[in-house]
């Protein structure tokens, strides 16, 4: 089966060719009037400047970590750490960065084109924005397939590592660089975009009473820049590492489960099939003029669901060919894959239910604005907490069904204290379910990445003075984008929980293989229990740091906007132009300054925990951060999405419409929700997986030097 790994390179080629065709299609549309082009150029310039400074900052941290990994790997002769891992760390970070960069480049070239297309028809605006998102989606999966395929080829064919277990254990460490880069991109981009958004809304909408994206607001360009660096570049890096991480974790589990190279090949083949099915599904995304929010959602949902069904059919064929012909339980593994696909769609549906203004929860949340800001904040917190019920139960069901279907039993450890073969086979089922959930990432990410483009298009329409009907169309697309963004985050969080479980077990396997001591990983162990408390604490401390970062950066924007309104005479009368660059600069400085500490927590805490209370403590930490991080991420993302769409619902004419007291209360709720849904919430799923990969990479160091 090792001969068929060329399918990964084929998947890369197919995804990139489709992405290039979609990019060419987008660039063929007009960018609109000279004023629209100027605004788009300013957004592009701001986004490029931020990413340049962010990557420069992150590069310094990467060099330090790379040197540390080289020292550990080569000083120990490869015993504490594979000599390949430092270099895989660099390539993972570079590919993750590139995925975000490509997405941001196409997004900043699509925003004005979407606004111009929306001036012609709603369907045309949807198609341009969705095509832009497709470039991002298929670039991410294409680069992911390339990274995995290159490293497999090097390790197997060049360096001659032909033992599946050894190969799987080396490959699983390769996700650390991607996760590290993704966390910086998500946190930094999230701080930037929400600082600008909060500052613009609080002073512009609430205090000055001017519309969203009004050209008189000094923070409006920074707000639009933030949509790209946070919701596009950050999200691209985020989902790149989710995609790669799920496949690599399954590599290790497949080898341990005794499936050999068949178990390693299957997730790659499944990812290839997902690319083909996503391409086919993308052609079904279209709508009619004057479409309701529900019909717009149906348009995107049709493409996603068709892709999932086609992937399920392909999965059955692949399982039979790859596993069935080798005499393995292919039906059980196929059921596990279907669990992942169905689970992903179910999480998407319930996320949509709790965050879309087409449904009761968000409509009822909007109604709470009639009694002020406090009640809408309380209502949003309550809604977010309730929404965790569906996601957690779906993931729990997916874990149990995939585990037992793939051959798992209640007997986990044999008489010698080692994991039973049945247990390992069950875990492979959980891992492949995660791959199944992400197999259609190409189209799922396309529906997600389209949202910021639509948001930018609305801003450009407002600032360019396009007719009201154009802004109505872009608002409809933007509201849809809020829902699909929440759906994409729910999807990423759900897959993170499955991948984190797979990575946790990989950590246990690697640790146990490298020590003669039979370690106690049960909850009765005090070190495991203490580790769980530390993991839970890490979730809250990390969220606190990211929320505080947004608060500090937003305060500087609020002060700057107030200063300009006060000191630059004629802004409100359209007689003077605001200093947009000042707000862009403040957001950049704030984001870069505040992103480092939260990102480093994910590396420092697992290592220190391991060095102090040992490898069993790390298991507890990973369990604690996975469970609390998952619940917290769902809560924050859904609460934030609901607050945002409750505001949009009021702006559509309900409860007094724009400028009413209800609207002002909803703006305050949306402001609270901004760092929830776009900074802290989505960053948590990266935190979960980064803690796991860091623990795996430094497991040799922890085993050698732990105190307890």
């Amino acid at each position: 089966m090792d001969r068929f790994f060329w399918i990964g390179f084929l998947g890369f080629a197919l995804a990139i060719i489709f992405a290039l065709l979609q990019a060419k299609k987008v660039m063929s549309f007009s960018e609109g009037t000279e004023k629209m082009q100027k605004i788009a150029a300013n957004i592009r310039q701001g986004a490029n400047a931020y990413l340049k400074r962010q990557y420069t900052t992150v590069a310094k941290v990467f060099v330090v970590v790379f040197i540390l990994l080289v020292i550990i790997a080569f000083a120990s002769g490869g015993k504490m750490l594979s000599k390949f891992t430092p270099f895989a760390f660099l390539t993972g970070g570079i590919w993750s960065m590139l995925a975000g960069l490509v997405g941001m480049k196409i997004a900043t070239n699509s925003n004005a084109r979407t606004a111009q297309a929306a001036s012609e028809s709603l369907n045309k605006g949807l198609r341009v924005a969705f095509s832009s998102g497709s470039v991002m989606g298929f670039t991410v999966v294409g680069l992911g397939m390339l990274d995995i395929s290159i490293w497999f080829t090097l390790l197997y064919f060049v360096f001659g590592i032909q033992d599946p277990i050894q190969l799987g254990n080396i490959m699983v460490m390769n996700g650390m660089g991607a996760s590290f880069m993704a966390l910086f991109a998500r946190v930094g981009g999230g701080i930037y975009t929400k600082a600008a958004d909060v500052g613009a809304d609080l002073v512009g909408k609430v205090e000055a009473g001017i519309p969203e994206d009004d050209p008189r607001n000094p923070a409006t360009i920074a707000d639009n820049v933030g949509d790209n660096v946070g919701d596009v570049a950050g999200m691209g890096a985020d989902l790149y590492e989710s995609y790669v991480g799920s496949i690599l974790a399954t590599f290790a589990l497949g080898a341990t489960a005794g499936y050999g190279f068949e178990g390693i090949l299957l997730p790659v083949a499944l990812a290839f099939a997902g690319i083909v099915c996503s391409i086919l599904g993308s052609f079904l995304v279209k709508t009619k003029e004057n479409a309701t929010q529900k019909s717009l959602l149906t348009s995107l949902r049709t493409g996603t669901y068709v892709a999932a069904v086609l992937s399920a059919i392909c999965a059955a064929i692949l399982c039979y060919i790859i596993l069935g012909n080798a005499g393995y339980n292919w039906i059980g593994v196929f059921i596990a894959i279907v669990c992942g696909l169905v689970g992903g769609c179910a999480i998407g549906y319930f996320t949509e239910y709790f965050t879309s203004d087409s449904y009761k929860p968000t409509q009822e949340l909007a109604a709470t604005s009639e009694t002020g800001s406090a009640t809408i904040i309380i209502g949003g917190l309550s809604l977010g907490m309730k929404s965790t019920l569906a996601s957690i139960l779906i993931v729990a069901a997916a874990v149990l069904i995939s585990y037992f279907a793939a051959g798992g039993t209640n007997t986990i450890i044999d008489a010698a204290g080692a994991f039973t073969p049945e247990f390992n086979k069950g875990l492979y089922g959980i891992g492949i379910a995660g791959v199944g959930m992400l197999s259609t990432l190409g189209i799922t990410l396309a529906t997600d990445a389209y949202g910021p483009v639509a948001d930018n298009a609305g801003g450009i329409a407002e600032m360019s003075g396009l007719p009201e009907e154009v802004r109505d169309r872009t608002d409809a697309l933007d509201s849809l984008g809020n829902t699909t963004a929440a759906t994409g985050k729910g999807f990423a969080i759900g897959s993170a929980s499955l991948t984190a479980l797979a990575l946790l077990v990989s950590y246990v396997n690697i640790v146990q293989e490298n020590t003669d001591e039979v370690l106690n990983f049960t909850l009765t162990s005090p070190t495991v229990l203490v580790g769980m408390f530390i993991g839970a604490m890490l979730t809250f401390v990390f969220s606190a740091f990211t929320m505080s970062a947004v608060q500090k950066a937003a305060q500087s924007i609020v002060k700057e906007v107030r200063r300009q309104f006060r000191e630059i005479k004629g802004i409100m009368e359209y007689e003077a132009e605001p200093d947009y660059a000042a707000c862009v600069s403040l957001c950049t400085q704030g984001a870069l300054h505040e992103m480092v500490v939260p990102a480093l927590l994910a590396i420092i805490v697992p290592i220190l925990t391991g060095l102090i209370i040992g490898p069993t403590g790390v298991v507890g930490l990973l369990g604690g951060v996975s469970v609390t991080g998952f619940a917290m991420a769902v809560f924050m993302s859904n609460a934030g999405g609901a607050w945002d769409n409750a505001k949009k619902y009021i702006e559509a004419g309900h409860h007094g419409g724009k400028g009413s007291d209800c609207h002002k209360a909803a703006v305050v709720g949306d402001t609270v929700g901004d760092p929830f849904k776009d900074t802290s919430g989505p960053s948590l799923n990266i935190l979960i997986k980064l803690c796991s990969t860091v623990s795996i990479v430094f497991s040799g160091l922890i085993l050698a030097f732990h105190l307890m």
Side-chain angles (χ1 to χ4, degrees), residues 49 51 53 63 211 228 247 311 337 366 368 375 405 418 421 429-430 452 466 472 486 617 658 698:
L51 283 190
R53 290 182 62 179
V63 169
N228 293 286
I247 295 174
S311 286
I337 294 169
T368 63
T375 48
I430 295 172
L466 295 182
D472 289 342
K658 292 182 180 180
F698 290 95

Side-chain angles (χ1 to χ4, degrees), residues 642-678:
W643 272 316
D644 198 347
N645 277 337
K647 179 196 69 177
K648 290 282 194 304
Y649 185 70
I650 293 171
E651 289 175 346
H654 303 90
H655 305 290
K658 292 182 180 180
S660 65
D661 289 340
C662 289
H663 182 230
K664 289 179 179 179
V667 170
V668 174
D670 179 38
T671 303
V672 174
D674 276 336
F676 269 48
K677 68 181 175 69
D678 290 324

Side-chain angles (χ1 to χ4, degrees), residues 417-472:
F419 290 138
T420 63
E422 292 79 15
F423 177 69
N424 287 325
K425 284 181 167 60
L427 288 174
Y428 181 73
I430 295 172
I432 204 71
V435 177
M437 189 177 285
L438 287 170
S439 62
T440 56
L441 183 63
I443 189 168
T444 303
L445 185 50
T447 63
D448 194 346
Y450 122 96
V453 175
D455 194 358
N456 264 205
I460 292 171
E462 182 74 35
M463 287 183 278
S464 310
L466 295 182
E468 188 64 30
E469 65 178 13
V470 179
R471 185 63 207 241
D472 289 342

Side-chain angles (χ1 to χ4, degrees), residues 57-58 61 184 187-188 191 591-601:
T57 303
V58 175
V61 182
F184 273 107
V187 171
I191 295 168
L592 295 178
H593 182 264
E594 299 292 340
M595 74 177 183
V596 178
V597 173
L600 291 179
L601 280 174

